[in-house]
Amino acid sequence: MHAQQMISTHPQERGQTGAALIHCIEECYDCAQTCTACADACLGESMVQSLTQCIRTCLDCADVCVATGTLATRRTGSNVELVTAMLEVCEDACRSCARECERHMDRMPHCRICAEACRRCEAACREAAGAMSPTLQ
C-alpha cells in the first residue's frame, strides 16, 4: 500500500494522519478486497442459497470499508467528526461480517480468511477512532 507515501507528499495535508489512521486506511482497503473475494467465492459454493446472508454481509462490509478508506485518505480538509463516525461504522460492519464468516469458516477457507481480515480492520478502525481528537479541521 502507498497510503503513507501519498499522504506524506500531499502539498496541503491537513487533518490528523497518525500511524493509526494510515494503518486503518490500508486495512480498510485490504478488507474490502477480501470481503469482495469472499462473497464471490460464496457464490461459487454448491450450497450458495444457504450463504445469502454471508454474501450480503461481505458486500456491505466491502462497501463500508471502501467508503471509510476514501474519506480517511482525503487530506485537503478533514472533518474529524465524520471520519470518526465512519471509523465506528466500519468497525461495526467488520465485526458483523467477521461473525457471519466465522459461522462458515470450518467448511470454507475463504470465510476464515475473510473473518481474519475483518477482525484486523475492526481493530484498526477502533484504534484510529481512539486516536482522533474531536475537532473539525
Side-chain angles (χ1 to χ4, degrees):
M1 287 283 190
H2 295 93
Q4 177 63 51
Q5 290 175 311
M6 290 302 297
I7 289 172
S8 70
T9 63
H10 195 293
Q12 296 181 23
E13 181 183 346
R14 293 190 181 111
Q16 302 173 23
T17 56
L21 186 63
I22 297 296
H23 177 68
C24 183
I25 291 167
E26 292 173 347
E27 289 294 340
C28 282
Y29 288 127
D30 180 65
C31 190
Q33 184 277 325
T34 303
C35 287
T36 301
C38 186
D40 189 62
C42 285
L43 287 169
E45 294 287 348
S46 60
M47 68 288 218
V48 67
Q49 290 175 326
S50 67
L51 296 170
T52 303
Q53 186 61 36
C54 190
I55 294 164
R56 183 176 298 113
T57 304
C58 283
L59 293 175
D60 289 348
C61 188
D63 289 344
V64 170
C65 286
V66 168
T68 303
T70 300
L71 287 174
T73 298
R74 293 184 183 139
R75 295 293 97 207
T76 51
S78 181
N79 182 332
V80 174
E81 290 174 353
L82 178 61
V83 173
T84 301
M86 284 300 296
L87 291 170
E88 291 168 0
V89 169
C90 193
E91 181 184 348
D92 290 344
C94 289
R95 184 180 310 108
S96 176
C97 190
R99 277 195 298 246
E100 182 61 31
C101 282
E102 286 165 355
R103 293 179 53 227
H104 309 286
M105 68 184 191
D106 291 342
R107 297 179 315 279
M108 291 171 259
H110 53 85
C111 282
R112 178 188 50 77
I113 294 165
C114 188
E116 291 168 358
C118 287
R119 293 294 184 194
R120 284 192 308 272
C121 191
E122 175 188 3
C125 287
R126 184 173 39 255
E127 183 179 341
M132 304 288 281
S133 68
T135 60
L136 294 179
Q137 297 186 5

